[in-house]
Amino acid sequence: REILKCGRFDLKLDGLPLVMGILNVTPDSFSDGGRYQGLEFALSRAEEMIADGVDMIDVGGESTRPGSPSVPALEELQRVMPALYALRELGKPLSVDTCKPEVMREAILAGADMINDINAFRAPGALEAVIDSDCGLCVMHMQGTPQHMQEQPVYQDVVREVIEFLRERVDTMVAAGIERARICVDPGFGFGKTIEHNYALLRHLGQIRQELALPVLAGLSRKSMIGAVIGKPVEQRLAGSLAGALASVAHGARIVRVHDVAETVDALKVWRAATAD
Ligand SMILES: Cn1cnc2c(O)nc(N)nc21
């Protein structure tokens, strides 16, 4: 499939892999240390990512790092909506990272081009919130909830189970009337997985893409699956994250969700030059 329908934009998937920049508007985001709370920081960060060549920006008002508690809908709205209004004039596809139907609804009304739901639109009302729009939809696998997902992740066959979960969610969404051209899937690195589970999923991204016949979005940036392999803290994971992004793309991912936009854009350009047939 060559196009991902994302609201105002049709994202072309046959060129350079797309870079989704992370914009946390949370006070406890795991890598910015809350540096980008506040609207002026969000705006300047977004402009910086656009200057760095980002293809879309993912705005998140609720930290999804392991152990993080859920945030009330009103609180999440108060964080996300001002950023959305400010950023939507920048002319770049905007994704909103949320699990809450009420946030999805408001975000879509405010012009969000994609809803990125780590909970795969399972919340009551989530499908209804997105069905009558044309925004893109990222469907991600998670075992458990962010609060407890890393306590003891267990699978019989993590690749098989993640594929079957995503298949069921996508089938449910399509049966509800959502067109496939709006959907991308994501194995959810770090969301209820051990390091080994994460690398098994990374190695089998091609199988996920093949079996679901949908674009794959991958988010490894600065995560513990990187840190565990290089033994470095979160602020020293750039090289590892770039390698992770390239590995994802080599295994078929078409969108990578990252913190370090300029570096990832450069890495992807060199990768593309080295692999274009
Ligand atoms: C919000 N968020 C954090 N990590 C993520 C990942 O790997 N994928 C997606 N879709 N969202 C994520």
Side-chain angles (χ1 to χ4, degrees), residues 164-180:
E164 290 316 314
F165 171 88
L166 293 172
R167 190 196 310 280
E168 189 279 328
R169 294 311 304 148
V170 170
D171 288 351
T172 299
M173 294 166 74
V174 170
I178 290 170
E179 58 177 310
R180 283 179 72 86

Side-chain angles (χ1 to χ4, degrees), residues 15 21 29 32 53 129 136 171 244:
S29 53
D32 312 271
D171 288 351

Side-chain angles (χ1 to χ4, degrees), residues 52-110:
D52 289 345
V54 82
D55 294 297
M56 61 192 308
I57 294 173
D58 192 33
V59 180
E62 178 182 62
S63 175
T64 56
R65 63 182 185 169
S68 55
S70 182
V71 162
L74 182 59
E75 166 77 19
E76 190 175 337
L77 282 165
Q78 285 168 334
R79 294 175 184 176
V80 169
M81 297 310 290
L84 265 190
Y85 286 121
L87 301 183
R88 69 180 180 177
E89 313 307 331
L90 298 179
K92 280 286 176 180
L94 287 184
S95 165
V96 172
D97 148 28
T98 186
C99 304
K100 298 189 182 68
E102 47 274 65
V103 178
M104 295 175 184
R105 219 178 283 279
E106 293 302 319
I108 290 168
L109 289 175

Side-chain angles (χ1 to χ4, degrees), residues 58 64 97 116 118 138 140 186 188-189 191 217-220 223 257:
D58 192 33
T64 56
D97 148 28
N116 173 26
I118 64 166
C138 183
M140 195 194 84
D186 182 334
F189 292 116
F191 287 85
L217 187 154
L220 296 72
K223 287 187 175 175
R257 182 177 180 280

Side-chain angles (χ1 to χ4, degrees), residues 208-222:
I208 294 171
R209 188 180 55 125
Q210 286 286 309
E211 291 205 27
L212 298 174
L214 286 169
V216 169
L217 187 154
L220 296 72
S221 183
R222 300 186 187 172

Side-chain angles (χ1 to χ4, degrees), residues 5 8 11 21 48 50 62-63 75 105 128 131 158 175 207 211 223 229 232 234 236 263 274:
K5 289 183 67 62
R8 300 169 286 172
L11 299 184
E48 181 185 8
I50 290 171
E62 178 182 62
S63 175
E75 166 77 19
R105 219 178 283 279
E128 293 75 5
I131 205 157
V158 63
Q207 183 183 343
E211 291 205 27
K223 287 187 175 175
V229 165
K232 299 278 179 67
V234 67
Q236 293 172 32
E263 297 87 345

